[in-house]
Amino acid sequence: MSISTADVIIASPGRNFVTLKIVTSDGVVGWGDATLNGRELAAASYLRDHVASTLIGRDEDRIEDTWQYLYRGAYWRRGPVTMAAIAAVDMALWDIKAKKLGIPLYQLLGGASRDKLRVYAHASGNDYAALSQAIRGYVDEGYTAVRIQTGVPGLDSVYGVSATAKPGEKYDYEPAHRAADGSAATRPVEEDWDTPAYLRHVPSIFEKVREEFGPELRLLHDGHHRMSPIEAARLAKSLEPYDLLWLEDATPGEDQEAFRLIRQHSTTPLATGEVFNSVYDYQTLITERLIDYVRSAPTHTGGITAMKKLLDFADIYGIRSGLHGPTDVSPIGMAAALHIDLAIHNFGIQEYMPHSDLTLETFRTSYTFNRGFLYPGDNPGLGVELDEELAGRHPYTAAYLPVNRLLDGTVHDW
Ligand code: EZ4
Ligand code: CO
């Protein structure tokens, strides 16, 4: 048998998603996710204009060979656009293989290593009262782990902090911004930032959270790449009394050596990798044990084939998974993460931001959530099917992540 068609579907049911549909000569359909938040059309073009025609007639069972063909054969290696495109093909082929065998994907990856997947939720608030209410909502829903993001006095809006969401409400906490009238954005909005104010404020918030919620709730925090190495070391050290599960993306992602400095100063566990796209982005971090959790999503890291190898590599060094699970990864990409999570030995925790109702009507998932844990489900393949007709009714609308500036106007990392 062979691949007959490979089509790219760009749609915006709630937010933008890029989906690859591969159909085999005997009619088996495989789905892949290539969504790159704010750069969706680049990944779609890579697939449509440079990859799709090379797939036609290829043996769909040759997943590793196809991965190597697209990676080594392109000459230009790595990069988020290339790796998101490869990821979509790879997911679709694993989906097809598992569907042909009539088994859920995790069975092909070695079978289940656990019964359920612990997830963490996103709680945020501009002030402690709002944050506390958000955390309480998640605790009442059965969550055992919560990411804490707080507003900072003196700053109007902080990325990752919802001004409006109520606990338990389905909401894109970190939406890519459209224009105010709902039409396509022509450029990102800009937010302000002040690292000293942030460093002064965050530990006091964690102190209050521990006081109110006790020692058992797992707490996480995301620094969104905004600190210098020494600032990150200081924050990691000042958060030690509050026993974080991890401090995420403390420094800009491309500087692996920065983590040596943070590590010298603190025992707060560290996580990074959501903007990485290759195992080579982790080489120093893993071999020198500079991090504790791998944060990539299969969608941005070359798919299931590459993610499984990356996590096996991390396992040798005692490093665990904490895969990226934002709403800007489609339910197909999320399902890929869950099947890997269930199968690997070194699972840590899974990020979970529930997709909007419209997204979930369009992508019909079989994974389920119950009291703080996700279950990939036992449908054959990845277990997600796209309703193409419904997707077609929600066309792509340009939307961007914000740009971050210091109070004096300097463009800043995030
Ligand atoms: O900002 O997915 O840990 N999760 C995150 C996410 C990212 C978005 C970027 O596209 O930081 O919310
Ligand atoms: Co993050």
Side-chain angles (χ1 to χ4, degrees), residues 120 147 174 222 224 248-249 274 295 324 351:
Y120 70 91
R147 191 189 83 164
E174 295 166 11
D222 194 341
H224 289 300
E248 171 184 348
D249 290 342
E274 68 179 50
R295 285 287 293 134
H324 198 204
E351 182 180 28

Side-chain angles (χ1 to χ4, degrees), residues 36 67 71-72 76-84 86-87 253-254 256 272-286 291 294-303 305-311 313-314:
L36 199 55
W67 197 96
Y71 182 79
R72 294 175 199 279
W76 309 108
R77 299 186 185 193
R78 308 199 279 168
V81 176
T82 300
M83 299 311 278
I86 294 176
E254 57 271 47
Q256 295 188 45
T272 197
E274 68 179 50
V275 301
F276 293 180
N277 50 73
S278 157
V279 66
Y280 295 102
D281 295 329
Y282 285 99
Q283 201 165 11
T284 303
L285 297 177
I286 289 176
I291 57 169
V294 164
R295 285 287 293 134
S296 290
T299 300
H300 303 134
T301 318
T305 298
M307 199 72 224
K308 179 71 165 60
K309 291 182 190 182
L310 165 54
L311 291 170
F313 173 44

